[in-house]
Amino acid sequence: MRVIDSHSEGEPTRVIVEGGPDLGTGTLAERRAVFARDFDHVRRFTMNEPRGFDALVGAHLVPAVDPSAVTGIVFFNNVGFLGMCGHGTIGVAVTLAHLGRIGLGRHRFETPVGTVEVTLETKNRVSVENVPARVHRADVALDVPGVGRVIGDVAWGGNWFFLTESVKTPIDLAHRRRLTAEAEAIKAALVAAGITGEGGAEIDHIELFGPPQAADAQSRNFVLCPGGEYDRSPCGTGTSAKLACLAAHGRLAAGESWVQESVVGSRFVGRYRLETGGALIPTITGSAWVTADARLLLDPEDPFPHGLG
Ligand code: PYC
C-alpha cells in the first residue's frame, strides 16, 4: 500500500494513494459502511502500531459520485470511521497538490456527510468550506464526577461535539493528561445522562476551551478524539461546531474571523456565511505539510498482520 503522510497544523493525516480496498460504487456513506463491514483489517493495518499511532487519521481516496468532484474521501482513525475531518481534508488537498493531481484554486471533495469545497491557496495553505454546522442543544448542564458542573453545547460540524468553556485546567501540553482525563469524564457523563446528538448519535468528540496565548487569537482548545487521543490541530470539524455555537449565542457575526488556537499553539481561522433558509456554512483555513511518501508492507510471517489494537 502506498501512503502519503502529512500534518495539518500538527495533526497527522495518512492518505492511501495506492493499494486501498475497492468499496464499490455506492454513495460515500454506503462506501464507508462497506469499509467498516468488509475491510476493517485494512483500517487497523494502516492506523495501528507499529505502522501508525493513535493520533493518526486515515483518508482513503475513492472515485467521486458526482463527476464535478475531484475525489471521494472516507476518513478513519484508530477506532473506527469519521463523518468529515477538517484537518484531514486540508491534508488531502496538500497531498493531491504534491502528487500534481490538483492545482491552485477551488475543488470539490465528497465525504460521507456531504460535499465540501476546498480552495488550495498555495501549495500548503487550504480553505475548506465545510458541510453546514448546527447547534443541537445549547447550555446543557452536566455534573461530571471529578470535574464538577459543566455547561456546554451539543453541536454538529461534520462530527458530533460537546463544547464547553467550564473546565479551568490550562490548555497546554503540560496539562494534556489532565485535560484528557477531564474530557473523558465529560464523555462518560454525557453517556450516563443519555445526552446524544440528533437521532441518538454518539457525541464522540469533546472540546474544551480556554483563553488564547497569542494576542490575535480568540480562543485555545483541547479536542478529545474518539480513540482517546487529542487533536494536535484546532480540529476543523470542531472549529466548525464552535462557529455554530458562537453564532447561536450571538458572539460572532457572519463574515467575521475566529482564530482558534490548538493545544500545541497552531491555529485555524474560521468564519461562516448564512445561506438563504438559515444554514450556517463554516469555512476553515489552515496549512499542511507532506512528511512522507511511503509503502506499508506486510510480511506473511508477521504474527501481528493488522497491527496492535
Ligand atoms: O480536523 O475535523 C478535524 C478532526 C477530526 C478528528 C481529528 N481532526
Side-chain angles (χ1 to χ4, degrees):
M1 174 187 287
R2 181 179 173 204
V3 296
I4 299 210
D5 288 358
S6 60
H7 76 87
S8 308
E9 307 294 349
E11 180 72 352
T13 306
R14 172 164 286 172
V15 183
I16 301 177
V17 295
E18 284 170 28
D22 180 352
L23 305 179
T25 55
T27 64
L28 266 290
E30 286 164 347
R31 282 186 260 179
R32 178 179 59 178
V34 171
F35 202 156
R37 187 192 64 208
D38 298 339
F39 299 103
D40 198 54
H41 57 283
V42 177
R43 177 190 64 74
R44 290 185 280 123
F45 170 85
T46 317
M47 293 289 101
N48 287 344
E49 293 181 22
R51 296 176 189 81
F53 70 113
D54 282 354
L56 188 58
V57 168
H60 181 30
L61 305 184
V62 297
V65 177
D66 176 347
S68 74
V70 168
T71 188
I73 314 171
V74 178
F75 290 109
F76 49 96
N77 61 18
N78 56 331
V79 291
F81 292 81
L82 291 164
M84 227 303 275
C85 181
H87 93 266
T89 302
I90 293 170
V92 168
V94 166
T95 294
L96 291 176
H98 172 80
L99 291 169
R101 294 191 193 167
I102 62 170
L104 300 185
R106 210 160 161 86
H107 308 281
R108 290 156 61 78
F109 295 175
E110 290 175 354
T111 80
V113 297
T115 298
V116 299
E117 301 266 349
V118 172
T119 304
L120 185 68
E121 295 170 5
T122 70
K123 76 180 184 47
N124 300 107
R125 190 87 180 147
V126 179
S127 288
V128 180
E129 188 174 90
N130 196 2
V131 297
R134 60 187 183 276
V135 175
H136 174 53
R137 289 182 62 177
D139 296 324
V140 175
L142 197 63
D143 289 312
V144 183
V147 177
R149 174 152 281 221
V150 161
I151 312 285
D153 298 336
V154 177
W156 170 259
N159 297 295
W160 282 106
F161 289 82
F162 182 78
L163 306 93
T164 180
E165 297 178 2
S166 298
V167 173
K168 297 304 170 205
T169 303
I171 301 206
D172 56 36
L173 282 178
H175 291 88
R176 66 186 182 280
R177 288 201 174 79
R178 190 159 132 200
L179 291 162
T180 300
E182 288 168 333
E184 277 173 346
I186 291 172
K187 190 172 173 185
L190 288 167
V191 172
I195 296 168
T196 67
E198 279 160 17
E202 182 194 3
I203 300 168
D204 55 3
H205 293 74
I206 309 297
E207 195 167 356
L208 313 179
F209 294 90
Q213 288 187 4
D216 62 342
Q218 275 71 49
S219 167
R220 193 173 179 95
N221 71 6
F222 174 91
V223 182
L224 180 71
C225 295
E229 265 297 340
Y230 62 91
D231 197 328
R232 277 68 169 158
S233 83
C235 191
T237 51
T239 302
S240 298
K242 177 68 174 176
L243 295 173
C245 297
L246 291 166
H249 292 287
R251 291 171 56 192
L252 190 76
E256 284 179 358
S257 292
W258 181 265
V259 178
Q260 184 64 63
E261 272 180 3
S262 73
V263 66
V264 308
S266 60
R267 46 171 65 196
F268 284 156
V269 181
R271 70 193 81 82
Y272 69 88
R273 64 178 176 84
L274 292 174
E275 281 190 334
T276 318
L280 183 149
I281 312 294
T283 295
I284 305 299
T285 302
S287 298
W289 297 268
V290 170
T291 55
D293 181 342
R295 290 198 184 267
L296 304 184
L297 304 178
L298 175 57
D299 183 328
E301 291 174 19
D302 186 337
F304 302 109
H306 305 129
L308 304 170

